[in-house]
Amino acid sequence: MAPRQDRRPDGSGLRAGRAPGARPLTGHLAALYRAPLPFIDGLPRHGDLVEIRLGRRPVFVLCHPGLVRRVLTDDRTFDRDGATYERSRRAMGNGLATCPQADHRAQRRLMQPAFRPDHLAGYAAVMQQAIGETTDGWRHGRETDLGRELFLLATKTAVRALFGADLPPAEARELHDALDTFLKGIYRQSLLPWAARLPTPGNRRYARALACWRAHTTRLIGAHRAHAAEQAAGRRNVLSHLLSVRAPDGTPVADDAVHDQSTALVLAGIETTAAALAWACHLLSHHPDVEEELYAEAHGVLGGRVATRDDLPRLPLTARVVTETLRLYPPAWLIPRSTTVETELAGRRLPAGSTVVFSPYVIHRRGDLYPEPARFLPGRWAADEPPGDPDSSVQLRAYAPFGLGAHRCIGEDFALTEATTALATLAARWRLRPVPGAVVRPAARAVLAPERLPMYLYER
């Protein structure tokens, strides 16, 4: 029998449980590696806080929105620490995306000015140019791996907007392959930490991919420094902010800190937006009724031109499609925390050092929070608040593709602006059709994206 679902917002009165099917030595590793999404999607049947096993190591999965809010808004008790974040910091450095609570406030204050609304207006102009250049290069009726095309679009946008630079197409494709290999490797190492020390072909590919990604970041920083005078006279960007900002004592940001922040920006600014756009296109290609409504809106507003930031208030359906896509396929789909002290969750005492995991994918697909949770229904976001029970407000439903609390993604507005303007432009100009017989499946990696997205593009 499924446990009772107590919907009190403070998370009290909830029940802990255990996922069945753990093997004596490997626990639930096979399920998480071979079919992670179906496995975690079934966990709410077993409780509000569900214990799974990675080998013999217990991991506690949050399956109730009240617990999610508590964990993500109490970063002193539930910190970004433990083995997973140690591996991430070794790979990416101690930047805003990976740093613990003790460093977070200072780093957030350092980065926040670069994401102010006045800066976003400049970034949006870069987005407009990159979207136009990319879609102008597409050809009518050609079979295309649209996922890769959208990655190249996101790369061009992020590198120009955040770094004031360009990557040649060959280098952008090299970066795509490197990030894909890294994201698969870091996911595998999170499940099998002992395997990271083995001299396997997969670990060698991971090391090469990480070196490639770091090298691209180093070149972007070096090119920016070499043209500092030109950059100062041109558009502001995140890298120019990092290189010019000063601490209260007048000292500049250390070179290693600039590199750490920039390395994370390359990943966050490219992969998450590309993944969201890819899933949106996949969903639209299988829902031609929504696609035609989207075309009518986009064509009526744009008339064939590229969308701008000023168009956003007149593109409400496009925004709802992006919101619903992020509900069904949140790019950051598995987010760990580590308890810093002994604490209680859902009636279960967790010792210090316990691993707690939040999955927006799980919360976003709860049937008691979202009617027909597996269906693509952008119309569910037409009202500011859903009807009925006041406990079903947006906050308590824990729609959180960008996280919650102090660690909420600093680039949320950047990502939503890019995704909405790109999707509107694409919808106004192109009709998407899936390749017959092609199977689109999520890749087992740290950012939720399709393995491949073969698509026919027909110019309208």
Side-chain angles (χ1 to χ4, degrees):
M1 179 182 296
R4 178 178 60 87
Q5 299 297 325
D6 187 331
R7 299 177 63 189
R8 279 178 281 180
D10 63 357
S12 62
L14 306 181
R15 294 179 59 184
R18 288 184 174 85
R23 297 180 179 179
L25 295 179
T26 60
H28 298 97
L29 280 172
L32 271 169
Y33 192 72
R34 295 172 185 164
L37 298 182
F39 174 72
I40 65 167
D41 196 30
L43 293 181
R45 294 195 300 268
H46 308 293
D48 302 302
L49 178 73
V50 181
E51 180 185 339
I52 63 174
R53 293 269 168 170
L54 300 185
R56 298 185 178 183
R57 174 166 54 106
V59 173
F60 299 91
V61 183
L62 308 171
C63 297
H64 187 280
L67 297 178
V68 169
R69 293 196 67 80
R70 178 183 164 191
V71 166
L72 294 190
T73 57
D74 180 4
D75 59 358
R76 292 183 181 274
T77 304
F78 304 95
D79 201 357
R80 295 199 295 190
D81 211 344
T84 298
Y85 279 105
E86 288 172 7
R87 279 187 292 276
S88 296
R89 283 193 280 270
R90 283 198 297 270
M92 300 168 58
N94 189 47
L96 189 60
T98 57
C99 68
Q101 183 269 339
D103 300 333
H104 183 264
R105 177 171 293 184
Q107 293 203 19
R108 186 86 179 199
R109 286 176 175 170
L110 170 73
M111 298 291 290
Q112 193 68 58
F115 290 91
R116 291 195 313 247
D118 58 326
H119 285 238
L120 185 59
Y123 303 153
V126 175
M127 295 173 191
Q128 179 184 1
Q129 183 182 28
I131 292 166
E133 290 175 1
T134 301
T135 56
D136 285 346
W138 293 350
R139 295 293 176 263
H140 176 79
R142 178 184 296 176
E143 180 180 339
T144 303
D145 182 353
L146 191 57
R148 181 174 282 260
E149 287 293 313
L150 293 171
F151 176 90
L152 295 176
L153 165 60
T155 301
K156 183 178 292 187
T157 301
V159 170
R160 284 183 184 176
L162 302 179
F163 298 91
D166 268 309
L167 277 184
E171 289 191 30
R173 286 189 288 270
E174 181 184 51
L175 181 60
H176 172 271
D177 294 340
L179 291 181
D180 185 58
T181 300
F182 168 78
L183 290 167
K184 289 177 180 176
I186 198 72
Y187 178 69
R188 183 175 59 251
Q189 290 186 14
S190 296
L191 297 181
L192 305 167
W194 53 269
R197 298 186 293 271
L198 301 177
T200 64
N203 285 340
R204 287 193 289 271
R205 286 192 298 271
Y206 172 84
R208 288 195 298 269
L210 181 55
C212 175
W213 172 21
R214 287 172 166 170
H216 278 295
T217 302
T218 300
R219 283 199 294 273
L220 288 170
I221 296 171
H224 196 288
R225 289 185 187 277
H227 299 88
E230 297 172 25
Q231 295 291 345
R235 289 194 180 101
R236 293 173 295 181
N237 54 65
V238 179
L239 185 53
S240 63
H241 167 75
L242 281 172
L243 293 175
S244 63
V245 72
R246 294 292 182 267
D249 62 0
T251 58
V253 179
D255 286 351
D256 58 348
V258 171
H259 198 279
D260 288 354
Q261 302 293 358
S262 300
T263 299
L265 283 170
V266 170
L267 176 64
I270 296 172
E271 276 287 345
T272 53
T273 304
L277 281 170
W279 287 121
C281 291
H282 169 66
L283 290 165
L284 289 168
S285 73
H286 289 274
H287 296 84
D289 54 335
V290 179
E291 184 188 26
E292 287 306 307
E293 289 181 48
L294 188 64
Y295 165 70
E297 175 181 271
H299 179 71
V301 172
L302 306 178
R305 63 176 172 80
V306 178
T308 71
R309 186 174 178 232
D310 292 339
D311 295 317
L312 295 181
R314 297 188 293 157
L315 296 168
L317 176 59
T318 313
R320 291 197 293 269
V321 168
V322 171
T323 300
E324 180 71 345
T325 299
L326 292 172
R327 182 187 71 82
L328 288 168
Y329 295 104
W333 65 280
L334 207 59
I335 302 168
R337 292 290 188 266
S338 183
T339 57
T340 58
V341 295
E342 181 180 307
T343 191
E344 182 177 324
L345 275 180
R348 176 86 183 251
R349 298 300 299 180
L350 304 184
S354 297
T355 300
V356 177
V357 171
F358 157 57
S359 175
Y361 187 91
V362 169
I363 302 297
H364 291 178
R365 290 173 178 251
R366 283 181 56 123
D368 58 336
L369 304 178
Y370 297 94
E372 300 182 273
R375 287 190 63 192
F376 175 60
L377 297 172
R380 74 172 81 240
W381 302 100
D384 291 335
E385 296 289 340
D389 186 346
D391 279 352
S392 65
S393 70
V394 170
Q395 280 194 329
L396 297 186
R397 287 187 301 169
Y399 175 79
F402 296 97
L404 295 168
H407 294 268
R408 190 178 183 117
C409 177
I410 196 172
E412 178 177 353
D413 288 343
F414 182 101
L416 290 176
T417 298
E418 181 181 356
T420 307
T421 53
L423 189 61
T425 303
L426 194 157
R429 294 181 171 189
W430 298 91
R431 180 180 288 109
L432 309 173
R433 290 296 175 264
V435 173
V439 177
V440 176
R441 60 172 61 91
R445 63 208 286 272
V447 171
L448 184 59
E451 279 279 6
R452 289 186 68 253
L453 187 61
M455 195 85 71
Y456 287 116
L457 303 176
Y458 298 101
E459 195 166 5
R460 290 187 182 273

